[in-house]
Amino acid sequence: MASSNGNHTGATTIRIGSRESEMQYTVIAPTQEQVSSVSPTLSLALKQTHIVRDALQKAHPHLKFEIITMKTHGDKILNVALSKIGSKSLFTKELEIALEEKHVDIVVHSLKDLPTTLPEGRVIGAVCEREDPRDVVIMHPKHLEASLATLPKGSVIGTSSVRRAAQLKRKFPDLVFESVRGNLNTRLRKLEEGDTYHALILAAAGVMRMGWEDKISQYLEEDTCMYAVGQGALAVECREDDSSTVALLSPLGHLNTTVAVIAERALMCTLEGGCSAPVAVHTKVTEDQLNLQGGVWSLDGSEELRHTMSTPLAEPDSSSDSLEQPVKMAKVSTTPYTGVVSRQGLDHFMSQAHNLGVNLAKHLLSAGADRILQAAKEQNNANLPSNNPNLPPSSSNGQKKEVEVNDS
Ligand code: DPM
């Protein structure tokens, strides 16, 4: 935790690092006077940072929270091929450095963008309550009455996610899947103002946080498209040794979300899938049980492997859904729970959830997931156009991979 005046006697300020807003301006009317009344459209990253800042402010009214924005490497070089940069932390590196050098105290992420192994000395201090984790369809204005099942043959669906493309190709072989790049604002503009895409597939959570709920045509259920590990949950990252900040984040933690994502991340970690692997999940938490369905697909969707497992979750205090613990009880333990801070009293649930993910992964591996994932990895590494998931995996055309623009 940082203090504005170097000690803790005055007003303490917690500094929150965020990717800079795209600050794309929505022009309300084309006249000169009205152009001055434009409203900035915040990026998803900054909206998410505001959500966490507001929750922290509510939990700690006496503290000050300051958002420090920075442009990340990935934001600056959107047109350079990924193969020339070769970095997965394109959008987070500057933030990681700022955290390490103590220029900021916390950083807000979409959990699905955080690797299952965090950099040394870093922890997820809180996983906030999950938004709707499903994927959704946003239709072109010309096709508002359609669904994926009724779109004409050959309709082009925009997504750069191999997970979405693989599952949907299997279900809708007559649709064509093409990469769509840019942040959420750019993608929506490409859909609505262009003639390239008939529809986009996006995460409901991002769409809702942008305030575009009324643009959603269809929610995809698990028989059609299972979601990504961690999708819909926000994670707050901090330094492992910064125990006062770890304690401060405690009220933001949401128990059901935390156990669900620990199971999902343990599955992903054991499968050794990265965030671009065709791996998906569907998780249900009931009062006393955690249910995890996991799946892996070949890139063209021809192979599918799914399995569901569950574990009992015995609640010592079923009336409370909060991770809040007295400050001095906050205990940090990173290794077993894929980066998520463990808190005394909840360790039991976290370990049950973690075991569930590991066991499901082991089951899938023994049923052939390793072969499917290895083949997918080789096809990706062979520099196949992963930004064009519609091409069959064997038809390498030598096209360079482009920057996978992360929306958050
Ligand atoms: C990751 C993927 C995508 C993002 C891959 C996947 C989607 C890329 C694309 C790991 N990160 O989901 O299979 O569609 O081209 C991202 C989004 C959000 C976080 C946007 C989205 C918002 C939702 C959330 C990009 N990261 O998926 O529509 O907070 O979970």
Side-chain angles (χ1 to χ4, degrees), residues 44 48 110 112-113 159-161 163-164 187 202-203 205-206 209 228 231-232 275 407:
L44 181 60
Q48 295 184 159
S110 278
K112 85 160 165 172
D113 294 324
T159 178
S160 311
S161 155
R163 171 186 62 81
R164 291 171 180 148
R187 288 182 190 211
L202 295 172
R209 290 181 195 127
Q231 185 159 305
C275 64
D407 292 307

Side-chain angles (χ1 to χ4, degrees), residues 62-119:
H62 57 292
L63 296 180
K64 279 194 183 140
F65 296 91
E66 178 192 358
I67 295 176
I68 298 172
T69 60
M70 50 197 87
K71 233 182 171 55
T72 67
H73 192 49
D75 292 319
K76 293 176 205 156
I77 47 151
L78 294 183
N79 295 317
V80 183
L82 184 61
S83 49
K84 291 188 188 147
I85 310 156
S87 165
K88 251 176 105 183
S89 55
L90 214 53
F91 297 94
T92 51
K93 197 157 177 239
E94 280 78 359
L95 292 168
E96 294 288 356
I97 293 170
L99 198 52
E100 184 169 337
E101 294 182 349
K102 306 191 178 180
H103 299 309
V104 300
D105 306 300
I106 61 181
V107 177
V108 177
H109 303 272
S110 278
L111 183 63
K112 85 160 165 172
D113 294 324
L114 273 188
T116 51
T117 307
L118 294 184

Side-chain angles (χ1 to χ4, degrees), residues 263 290 311-314 337 347-357:
L290 176 61
T311 182
L313 287 175
Y337 308 128
D347 211 66
H348 181 61
F349 302 124
M350 292 175 144
S351 127
Q352 282 174 325
H354 190 268
N355 289 344
L356 176 65

Side-chain angles (χ1 to χ4, degrees), residues 33-55:
E33 301 80 56
Q34 281 160 314
V35 169
S36 61
S37 66
V38 296
S39 61
T41 308
L42 299 187
S43 64
L44 181 60
L46 204 49
K47 287 212 177 204
Q48 295 184 159
T49 304
H50 284 186
I51 290 170
V52 169
R53 193 261 325 262
D54 293 349

Side-chain angles (χ1 to χ4, degrees), residues 5 35 64 74 78 89 164 197 228 238 259 294 316 335 361 376 401:
N5 54 6
V35 169
K64 279 194 183 140
L78 294 183
S89 55
R164 291 171 180 148
Y197 305 102
C238 64
V259 292
T335 13
K401 271 190 204 169

